[in-house]
Amino acid sequence: MSYNRRTLSPDSPCAIAAALLFFAAAAIRTVGFILSYSGELLIFDLVIELLVPALCCVIFGAMLLSRKKSLIPTVFPLIGGSLYIIFRALGLELWQTVTVTAIYAVFAIVYILTVTGILNTRRVLMFFCIGVSAACILMGSRTAEGTNSFLGIVTVVLILTAIFFESVGMRRGRQY
């Protein structure tokens, strides 16, 4: 086993803050889904618009608070969340779709490389969290169309803030 991989103690203040932010993001996503209810509920909408993003947040937060210190399993909900955001970007203009796809694909790759220890520094992940949050706010403010869109932006910013806190608390190796 590599001693270069990243770990995070579940009782770390950074892990607790990140988990709480993930749970808040799931709650806000649920409220946004309920507020956008138009009287017709399709199972596709329920699964894609509510269950995928909310469950990814809840699972990610629960993993941070579990007794396991390894961050490698957190790659799966992060990839699920990134794929959800990329899927949602398909309805935007072409330049926005390409930009969002590139940003979140690179973000997922940087997260994976950081957690597995291939990337030796956490600073790149921290930079990406800040940069992607700023890009989300800028792009979202241009395309915002109501409460659900605003709550979607808040959800993504909360998730990125949680990952930032997680990256602050990350340590190298199996032991502290």
Side-chain angles (χ1 to χ4, degrees), residues 21-37:
L21 287 170
F22 276 118
F23 297 147
I28 289 174
R29 181 66 205 135
T30 303
V31 168
F33 181 79
I34 291 169
L35 290 177
S36 70
Y37 179 68

Side-chain angles (χ1 to χ4, degrees), residues 77-118:
L78 181 102
I79 289 174
S82 294
L83 289 176
Y84 166 75
I85 291 173
I86 290 170
F87 173 76
R88 292 290 298 150
L90 294 178
L92 301 174
E93 293 180 28
L94 180 62
W95 72 270
Q96 291 173 328
T97 301
V98 170
T99 303
V100 169
T101 301
I103 287 172
Y104 284 97
V106 170
F107 181 77
I109 290 169
V110 167
Y111 184 83
I112 292 168
L113 292 176
T114 302
V115 167
T116 57
I118 296 171

Side-chain angles (χ1 to χ4, degrees), residues 17-86:
L20 290 175
L21 287 170
F22 276 118
F23 297 147
I28 289 174
R29 181 66 205 135
T30 303
V31 168
F33 181 79
I34 291 169
L35 290 177
S36 70
Y37 179 68
S38 63
E40 184 178 324
L41 182 63
L42 301 174
I43 194 72
F44 179 78
D45 292 337
L46 181 66
V47 170
I48 297 298
E49 296 296 327
L50 177 63
L51 291 181
V52 170
L55 280 178
C56 285
C57 289
V58 169
I59 290 170
F60 205 123
M63 284 180 172
L64 290 177
L65 295 178
S66 72
R67 297 311 310 162
K68 307 240 186 283
K69 293 181 181 181
S70 176
L71 291 174
I72 292 176
T74 61
V75 166
F76 299 112
L78 181 102
I79 289 174
S82 294
L83 289 176
Y84 166 75
I85 291 173
I86 290 170

Side-chain angles (χ1 to χ4, degrees), residues 145-169:
E145 297 175 3
T147 305
N148 191 30
S149 179
F150 173 74
L151 291 177
I153 294 168
V154 170
T155 301
V156 172
V157 170
L158 282 174
I159 291 168
L160 292 168
T161 305
I163 294 173
F164 179 81
F165 281 133
E166 175 195 3
S167 64
V168 168

